[in-house]
Amino acid sequence: LFYLVNRSGQNIFFDLVMPFVSVVPRSDLAYWVFYRILPPALLGLAILSRLLKVRTHPPVRIGPPELAMGLLVIMVPGLIILLQTDGNLALIRFGDRMIIPFCMYLVARLAAPRKKEFILLQWVALFIALSQSIIGLFSWVAPQVLPQIWHYLNGLRTTGSLKDPDLYALILTFSAILLLHAAVNQKSGFIRLILFVATGLCAIFAFLSLERAAWLGGVLVTLGLVFLYPKTMFRLLIVGAIVSVVLGAGVLSTHFTLSANRFSETSPVYDRIVVFDAMLQMVQIKPVLGWGYETLDQNIHHYYRRIGEATLVNRKVTSHNTYLTVLTELGLVGFL
């Protein structure tokens, strides 16, 4: 374990395993081992490694990000215990969503990965891109070969092995960034071609997630990559446009139609207008410390009201805005 923390592999193995945990035997136990236990254990080993001076470590300066994380880890559980009568589930979800990612962030900082580790991470990104693209392809052309747990809305969205289209698009976009960086710095023309093709697959299947938030995020990521690699991105965008036209007129014509329908849907927009208005009302009522972590869905339906043509009748729609959710549940203090 000390070797893993001090060399490479502590998060590489995690990255390879986690996308497929849902279908391994005793997935609940695997989730506990690989997600809830392994990252805190690795953080403890990383701290111990520095204390025992197992190898020479570059200095780590604690700054505003670490301070903010520490305050949040103290504040939110404290408020859950003090103000929420049944906060056990909220504590578990806070741990899954924030404490565990904080641990992984700190492991990466304390272990100080070197160039070799980043190169290894690029190969992991290639594996993720190819495996999730293949699973995404099967979900459209042969869904019967995939485990039932990987089916989502009967194939109307692409989720790979991750069961969530937003998360699927996010991990592909992140992998594409690593792959493009690797391709630009790769000397071998053949490997560079493989990396560029994998980057293109990430773009295609992130698009096939049919998540508008992912599309907007992809546009912003593309603009950032154009700024970093203008010549490379200009060529890739030309090739990508040609490939998109060919695929849109052929095998992906149905998917382009579905995408156009997603743009023309008005009900999700109306839903969000009502939900955002309800959250703003809640923020005005409890602006400082908020309503409590994981309490939004319990209270939001009391504040639905008609906004122009937008209305919600006899159904509950949760938040689709992370920032407003944090502001509503944790108030201005937690938001800042």
Side-chain angles (χ1 to χ4, degrees):
L1 287 173
F2 270 116
Y3 175 80
L4 289 176
V5 170
N6 283 284
R7 295 306 306 158
S8 64
Q10 71 273 11
N11 286 331
I12 301 302
F13 181 69
F14 177 89
D15 294 336
L16 289 170
V17 170
M18 278 306 297
F20 304 98
V21 158
S22 59
V23 293
V24 301
R26 289 299 309 274
S27 59
D28 56 334
L29 181 60
Y31 185 80
W32 266 97
V33 171
F34 291 116
Y35 189 73
R36 288 177 173 162
I37 295 177
L38 184 60
L42 288 170
L43 177 58
L45 287 171
I47 295 172
L48 191 59
S49 173
R50 282 182 170 266
L51 292 176
L52 298 178
K53 298 180 180 180
V54 174
R55 70 175 174 90
T56 302
H57 296 86
V60 174
R61 182 176 299 173
I62 302 300
E66 292 76 22
L67 178 62
M69 287 189 288
L71 292 174
L72 203 62
V73 166
I74 295 172
M75 169 192 159
V76 177
L79 291 176
I80 291 173
I81 294 170
L82 290 174
L83 303 179
Q84 295 177 218
T85 55
D86 187 13
N88 292 336
L89 182 59
L91 285 170
I92 292 172
R93 290 186 174 174
F94 176 74
D96 285 345
R97 295 170 182 167
M98 292 192 176
I99 293 179
I100 298 300
F102 290 170
C103 288
M104 290 189 283
Y105 164 83
L106 292 171
V107 167
R109 284 213 63 193
L110 294 176
R114 302 172 182 177
K115 184 177 180 180
K116 185 166 66 174
E117 280 79 40
F118 282 110
I119 293 174
L120 185 59
L121 182 61
Q122 291 167 353
W123 290 111
V124 173
L126 179 62
F127 171 79
I128 291 174
L130 295 178
S131 61
Q132 294 301 327
S133 297
I134 292 170
I135 295 171
L137 177 63
F138 276 118
S139 70
W140 287 102
V141 301
Q144 66 276 8
V145 306
L146 299 177
Q148 184 63 38
I149 198 171
W150 290 353
H151 295 187
Y152 182 80
L153 294 179
N154 295 319
L156 293 179
R157 307 276 183 89
T158 312
T159 61
S161 68
L162 300 167
K163 300 188 294 181
D164 182 272
D166 271 322
L167 179 59
Y168 179 73
L170 177 64
I171 197 172
L172 286 178
T173 303
F174 181 68
S175 297
I177 295 172
L178 293 174
L179 292 170
L180 185 63
H181 175 75
V184 170
N185 293 280
Q186 178 59 240
K187 296 179 180 179
S188 169
F190 177 70
I191 295 178
R192 188 186 304 118
L193 177 62
I194 292 175
L195 295 174
F196 279 139
V197 170
T199 303
L201 288 173
C202 288
I204 291 172
F205 283 94
F207 168 76
L208 291 178
S209 69
L210 301 185
E211 282 293 325
R212 288 168 293 192
W215 296 342
L216 177 60
V219 170
L220 296 176
V221 167
T222 301
L223 292 175
L225 292 172
V226 168
F227 178 78
L228 290 174
Y229 311 112
K231 292 182 180 179
T232 301
M233 285 301 298
F234 181 71
R235 295 169 185 164
L236 289 178
L237 288 174
I238 292 177
V239 174
I242 296 172
V243 172
S244 298
V245 170
V246 173
L247 293 178
V251 294
L252 294 184
S253 57
T254 302
H255 306 85
F256 274 78
T257 301
L258 289 172
S259 303
N261 292 338
R262 288 282 290 159
F263 274 113
S264 63
E265 289 177 355
T266 57
S267 59
V269 178
Y270 287 158
D271 290 350
R272 283 156 177 73
I273 291 174
V274 175
V275 168
F276 291 174
D277 172 72
M279 285 193 286
L280 290 175
Q281 293 178 65
M282 295 173 69
V283 170
Q284 291 173 2
I285 295 171
K286 296 184 179 181
V288 180
L289 295 177
W291 289 71
Y293 189 78
E294 196 63 20
T295 62
L296 179 66
D297 289 348
Q298 302 169 20
N299 299 295
I300 191 171
H301 60 280
H302 297 300
Y303 297 93
Y304 290 162
R305 62 184 178 183
R306 187 181 184 90
I307 308 293
E309 297 181 0
T311 183
L312 278 172
V313 181
N314 297 327
R315 61 193 181 97
K316 183 173 69 176
V317 178
T318 189
S319 167
H320 284 75
N321 187 303
T322 300
Y323 300 104
L324 273 178
T325 302
V326 173
L327 190 59
T328 304
E329 293 189 342
L330 303 181
L332 286 170
V333 174
F335 182 81
L336 292 174

